Amino acid sequence: MADFLQLGIRKEINHTLKSLGIVTPTPIQERTIPSVLEGKDVIAKAQTGTGKTLAFVLPILEKIDVRMSDVQALILTPTRELAQQISKEIKRMVENVEGINTLAVYGGQDVAHQLKKLKGAQHIVVATPGRLLDHIRRGTIDLSTVQMLVIDEADQMLHMGFLPEVDDIIYETLSTRQTMLFSATMPKEIRTLANKYMKDPDFIEVKEKTV
Ligand code: ADP
Ligand code: MG
């Protein structure tokens, strides 16, 4: 079985993973990481608790160009708790890596504070759809430089009624080269959204619960 180094994750991050006891990639990580590194669009279906977060976070970190100061990756997630959790996970992963900045943008958070942070260089933005759309409409965030877009927990987005907002946001990220969608289930509405925006995606499905 491949380890994270063999999957193409740099040694500094591999070291951090090891220190957290994360040594063996889960099946969804083993299959998703190479596809994302190759630049493919990905639709990944796997149960809760199978390690989907690192499946997109790790290859995204390999693809961020720290010489550029613009937003290169946008991760959409349904709740503030998930936005905080994912940004915390990213910050943990870059502890031994220079210069990758991440910002979480979600409702209930002080807008002035967010605006100040948005003025700095942010390579990765993790956001809930509603608050991100506020920023888009105010012109306080520029998503024209986003290369990688992740729609995380897509079925939760659907159940919470966020798909129209997600659709609007995808429309704003016209320059996006790569779209990744993660979900525990694939209802028709999610497949329709994926078909509308994705280019020849790799469909990755893992059935068993593994972590
Ligand atoms: P999902 O999004 O699929 O529900 P998460 O990405 O939240 O799952 O991961 C669930 C838990 O598994 C987290 O605590 C995470 O740190 C842990 N985890 C992820 N990948 C691995 C791995 N390869 N080995 C051990 N634990 C892992
Ligand atoms: Mg998840």
Side-chain angles (χ1 to χ4, degrees):
M1 197 183 281
D3 61 20
F4 287 102
L5 269 179
Q6 287 166 313
L7 289 180
I9 305 305
R10 78 187 80 174
K11 64 177 191 310
E12 291 81 1
I13 295 178
N14 194 50
H15 185 78
T16 303
L17 286 165
K18 259 194 194 148
S19 73
L20 296 166
I22 300 177
V23 179
T24 308
T26 65
I28 197 76
Q29 292 163 357
E30 192 171 358
R31 294 179 56 194
T32 304
I33 291 169
S35 285
V36 177
L37 289 177
E38 255 179 54
K40 295 274 304 190
D41 281 3
V42 167
I43 303 175
K45 175 173 182 268
Q47 279 178 35
T48 302
T50 50
K52 294 194 288 298
T53 310
L54 288 177
F56 58 81
V57 163
L58 295 176
I60 284 175
L61 292 177
E62 294 305 321
K63 298 182 79 164
I64 296 290
D65 184 349
V66 293
R67 293 166 305 180
M68 317 284 268
S69 61
D70 42 25
V71 182
Q72 294 162 51
L74 172 64
I75 299 165
L76 295 179
T77 192
T79 66
R80 134 181 18 181
E81 289 71 25
L82 279 167
Q84 287 170 325
Q85 211 174 298
I86 294 166
S87 69
K88 213 172 118 193
E89 188 88 341
I90 295 171
K91 286 180 178 146
R92 238 169 28 151
M93 289 303 136
V94 297
E95 255 166 30
N96 299 312
V97 176
E98 273 303 304
I100 299 183
N101 298 321
T102 306
L103 179 68
V105 169
Y106 47 83
Q109 196 185 30
D110 180 36
V111 176
H113 173 79
Q114 276 173 4
L115 289 177
K116 193 160 154 253
K117 294 267 186 170
L118 280 170
K119 290 212 170 80
Q122 302 296 347
H123 302 108
I124 306 174
V125 170
V126 185
T128 54
R131 180 55 66 94
L132 186 71
L133 269 181
D134 285 348
H135 281 294
I136 292 172
R137 288 179 182 138
R138 288 162 188 248
T140 47
I141 192 165
D142 177 11
L143 296 179
S144 64
T145 55
V146 170
Q147 311 255 331
M148 296 171 273
L149 172 68
V150 175
I151 302 158
D152 187 35
E153 309 288 355
D155 50 0
Q156 271 198 59
M157 299 266 211
L158 168 71
H159 296 135
M160 293 171 78
F162 290 161
L163 279 202
E165 274 137 317
V166 171
D167 204 79
D168 287 351
I169 291 165
I170 297 176
Y171 194 74
E172 291 293 327
T173 54
L174 290 174
S175 70
T176 302
R177 309 267 188 286
Q178 197 176 7
T179 307
M180 294 151 254
L181 184 144
F182 292 81
S183 202
T185 59
M186 279 301 157
K188 187 173 93 262
E189 293 89 337
I190 304 290
R191 293 199 303 272
T192 304
L193 182 88
N195 286 336
K196 193 163 153 194
Y197 294 106
M198 291 182 143
K199 300 167 292 262
D200 187 26
D202 279 350
F203 187 81
I204 300 168
E205 180 174 6
V206 168
K207 292 211 168 79
E208 72 275 35
K209 188 164 177 147
T210 46
V211 174

